[in-house]
């Protein structure tokens, strides 16, 4: 199985969920990509120890995530319909840029200040 990379802006970071008696853990991160007129939302799953890596991400961060695709087949019984499921398991990530909750953009601050009104006197 080969790995691939995807770039996007962190849109959602879910809490870690634990399943089964063995304690399998999964944490979903949703990336947003602008694709012309529409936004594309891609859920990627970090599993087990990878769930802890997500603590370093913030909403708004631009990241490259290395992932691998996995799929499985499911059928309730031999006479029922076969269903196929696809998952994107995240392996690692690299921050490309940060606009997260803990960061700020100087241009945004300057823009806010310049829009405060032409007649306003600055206090300095």
């Amino acid at each position: 199985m080969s790995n691939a990379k995807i770039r996007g802006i962190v849109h959602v970071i879910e809490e870690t969920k634990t399943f089964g008696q063995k304690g399998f853990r999964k944490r979903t991160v949703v990336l947003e990509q602008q694709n012309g007129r529409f936004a594309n939302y891609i859920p990627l799953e970090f599993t087990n120890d990878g769930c802890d890596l997500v603590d370093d991400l913030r909403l708004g961060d631009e990241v490259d995530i290395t992932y691998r695709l996995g799929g499985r087949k499911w059928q309730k019984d031999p006479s029922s319909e076969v269903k196929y499921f696809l998952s994107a398991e995240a392996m690692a990530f690299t921050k490309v840029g940060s606009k997260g909750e803990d960061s700020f953009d100087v241009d945004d601050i300057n823009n806010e200040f310049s829009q405060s009104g032409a007649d306003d006197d600055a206090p300095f």
Side-chain angles (χ1 to χ4, degrees):
M1 206 181 299
S2 63
N3 294 342
K5 255 187 196 172
I6 188 167
R7 179 175 288 187
I9 305 296
V10 177
H11 182 72
V12 172
I13 301 172
E14 292 184 357
E15 294 297 319
T16 300
K17 297 173 185 161
T18 305
F19 303 92
Q21 294 177 345
K22 294 183 180 181
F24 174 78
R25 297 185 314 142
K26 180 173 84 167
R27 190 169 187 186
T28 301
V29 172
V30 178
L31 295 186
E32 178 181 353
Q33 294 179 321
Q34 290 303 318
N35 190 11
R37 297 184 329 172
F38 302 101
N40 194 22
Y41 298 95
I42 299 107
L44 297 128
E45 299 172 344
F46 287 82
T47 58
N48 294 320
D49 291 341
C51 294
D52 300 330
L53 297 175
V54 178
D55 291 338
D56 293 335
L57 289 177
R58 300 288 176 259
L59 296 179
D61 284 350
E62 183 176 13
V63 293
D64 282 334
I65 295 182
T66 302
Y67 69 96
R68 67 176 169 212
L69 292 177
R72 66 182 183 88
K73 175 181 169 181
W74 179 83
Q75 189 174 20
K76 185 176 183 177
D77 57 58
S79 63
S80 65
E81 179 184 2
V82 176
K83 303 234 180 209
Y84 295 93
F85 297 92
L86 176 68
S87 63
E89 182 182 354
M91 310 304 292
F93 68 87
T94 304
K95 287 186 183 183
V96 177
S98 180
K99 285 221 175 213
E101 297 167 344
D102 296 336
S103 66
F104 63 92
D105 186 337
V106 174
D107 292 334
D108 289 344
I109 293 171
N110 289 336
N111 195 22
E112 286 294 322
F113 182 73
S114 68
Q115 293 179 10
S116 64
D119 297 328
D120 293 348
D121 288 330
F124 47 89

